[in-house]
Amino acid sequence: EEFLFADLENKMTYSSVVTNKIRSLRQNYGLTSNKQRPDVWLLCNDQATLDKVGPVSAYVATLSTSNKVTCVLSSAEIPEGCGVAPVDSQVTAYVLLAGLIDPAAEIKRLEKKVQAGAQAEKKLRDKMNMPDYAKTPQKFKDADNDKLKDLATEKAGLEEAIEGFKKILAAPPAPKKEEEAAKAPAPKKEEEIAAPAPKKEEEIAAPKKEEEAPAPADSEPWFVEGENKIIKKGDVTKYSGFLGMMAKKRLLVLTNLRLVYLDPSDMTIKGEFILQPRLEVSVKEPNKSFVVKTPEKERVFYTPDAAAWAKVIYKHEMCDLNYWASLEEGGAQAVQQKINEQIQRATDAGYTG
């Protein structure tokens, strides 16, 4: 089974990398509100890459708090005014920022990144031009060449974004309110305003129906789109700092999409794990601690409820390769459908935190 789903597992792991890049870009621009849901485009270098990312684009959109994620092969399909987040040499993420940030400030920020990239490229080329570089093992030469390609890809994306923001600055300003008011139709004269028709007796006698109050939102401020159910939560201790000696209290929350740990004092997110097949969980010490890890990071949480936490995470549907295998044929729509089905099942099961 491990080899049967190897391709699917790679897709899910890669989708997490893309998601983290988009979320990092949002953080850099101060887009921290869940109400800010920009459109995202993923520029793929070839069809094979698009085929890898396309089926999980809805999953990426949900976890990155984006309105929509579109995979394309040409930059001509991407609008101007986007922030750029190079994922790797094959994929570049474009997040539409027009109307959300200051274009002039963004141009200055991107120009600094271009300069930093140019300095890194010069330093690397100087190293490669040294007389003794010919003796360098081939694997290190290959790594340096790959780094040059990544720098070139990043530079091209940054320069393209700068041009896009310059065009936004050059665009004519929107009409002022005074001009809009001048174009508005003149108000009707008093005699043109028809008096309201008198109400019928039965209308007067009939009791007025009370408007139904909107249902309270079943969500937390830190929820992302598609995330609306807490399966388990509890207080844990996490160690960090120099030599891991600093103990910090955290509220650990398992939802239908993520494992999140928050600062209980202000409920800000301090870290998260996106639930995926490559997420591993194990009890480190019975009734004391458990470990959660992915290929990118590892965290240890201390709680007397360690065994129960490990069990509920291990059995979570989002961590099951068979679950994701069932999404392959239907593509992005099937992903979103399965997520919605999972939310409904969690609701019907009556999970409580």
Side-chain angles (χ1 to χ4, degrees):
E1 185 174 285
E2 179 180 355
F3 294 98
L4 179 63
F5 296 127
D7 181 61
L8 174 60
E9 187 175 355
N10 290 335
K11 287 181 181 179
M12 292 311 306
T13 301
Y14 190 70
S15 70
S16 298
V17 175
V18 176
T19 297
N20 290 335
K21 287 289 184 179
I22 296 174
R23 291 173 68 87
S24 177
L25 182 67
R26 286 176 57 92
Q27 189 71 27
N28 290 341
Y29 286 110
L31 305 181
T32 56
S33 172
N34 287 340
K35 295 181 180 180
Q36 297 170 309
R37 300 180 181 275
D39 288 335
V40 175
W41 284 261
L42 298 179
L43 179 60
C44 305
N45 280 10
D46 51 46
Q47 187 63 45
T49 303
L50 188 145
D51 292 341
K52 178 173 69 172
V53 181
V56 293
S57 59
Y59 177 72
V60 173
T62 298
L63 271 300
S64 62
T65 321
S66 304
N67 179 51
K68 183 181 179 182
V69 173
T70 304
C71 300
V72 299
L73 291 172
S74 171
S75 60
E77 302 180 56
I78 301 174
E80 297 170 354
C82 289
V84 184
V87 179
D88 54 26
S89 60
Q90 299 297 316
V91 176
T92 302
Y94 290 79
V95 179
L96 186 59
L97 300 172
L100 299 176
I101 64 165
D102 178 8
E106 180 56 20
I107 290 173
K108 292 181 180 179
R109 192 183 77 87
L110 293 179
E111 287 176 341
K112 289 182 179 179
K113 293 191 70 174
V114 171
Q115 293 175 0
Q119 293 175 356
E121 180 182 357
K122 182 180 182 302
K123 184 177 180 179
L124 183 56
R125 290 192 180 279
D126 289 344
K127 168 189 167 184
M128 297 172 70
N129 290 330
M130 294 178 64
D132 293 340
Y133 187 76
K135 301 177 182 179
T136 302
Q138 188 60 41
K139 64 177 182 179
F140 295 114
K141 290 182 179 180
D142 293 340
D144 289 340
N145 287 323
D146 290 341
K147 181 63 176 178
L148 284 177
K149 291 179 182 179
D150 291 342
L151 288 171
T153 300
E154 182 177 1
K155 179 182 178 182
L158 292 172
E159 290 178 342
E160 187 176 354
I162 290 172
E163 289 302 315
F165 285 118
K166 286 181 178 179
K167 290 180 181 179
I168 292 177
L169 284 176
K176 296 181 178 180
K177 292 183 178 180
E178 292 79 1
E179 296 176 359
E180 294 176 354
K183 294 180 182 179
K188 292 182 178 180
K189 297 179 180 179
E190 292 183 3
E191 57 271 18
E192 293 178 354
I193 301 176
K199 293 183 179 180
K200 296 179 180 180
E201 292 184 3
E202 57 269 21
E203 292 179 352
I204 297 176
K208 186 178 179 181
K209 293 183 178 180
E210 295 184 3
E211 295 184 359
E212 294 183 3
D218 181 21
S219 64
E220 297 286 345
W222 44 268
F223 271 176
V224 298
E225 184 177 358
E227 184 174 41
N228 68 350
K229 192 65 183 178
I230 294 176
I231 298 174
K232 184 176 176 63
K233 67 179 179 180
D235 295 326
V236 299
T237 301
K238 176 180 170 293
Y239 289 88
S240 61
F242 181 66
L243 297 179
M245 298 298 291
M246 185 180 297
K248 295 184 178 180
K249 296 294 182 181
R250 294 288 180 250
L251 176 63
L252 189 63
V253 184
L254 178 66
T255 75
N256 54 301
L257 296 178
R258 298 181 297 168
L259 179 67
V260 186
Y261 44 101
L262 308 98
D263 185 337
S265 63
D266 56 9
M267 296 303 287
T268 56
I269 294 180
K270 308 306 291 185
E272 66 178 5
F273 284 92
I274 297 172
L275 299 178
Q276 54 166 306
R278 295 196 69 178
L279 183 142
E280 299 178 13
V281 59
S282 60
V283 176
K284 186 177 181 181
E285 298 178 73
N287 303 321
K288 187 175 181 181
S289 64
F290 69 101
V291 182
V292 181
K293 67 178 180 179
T294 65
E296 293 76 32
K297 65 179 179 180
E298 176 179 324
R299 297 291 183 269
V300 180
F301 299 102
Y302 291 82
T303 170
D305 201 22
W309 269 108
K311 182 178 180 180
V312 72
I313 297 171
Y314 176 78
K315 291 189 173 183
H316 199 293
E317 185 177 47
M318 298 288 282
C319 299
D320 185 1
L321 272 174
N322 291 297
Y323 164 71
W324 289 106
S326 67
L327 308 181
E328 282 292 272
E329 184 177 352
Q333 292 183 350
V335 172
Q336 192 60 56
Q337 180 180 352
K338 286 293 183 180
I339 289 175
N340 292 338
E341 291 174 357
Q342 179 193 357
I343 294 170
Q344 187 59 49
R345 281 195 293 273
T347 302
D348 295 341
Y351 288 123
T352 56

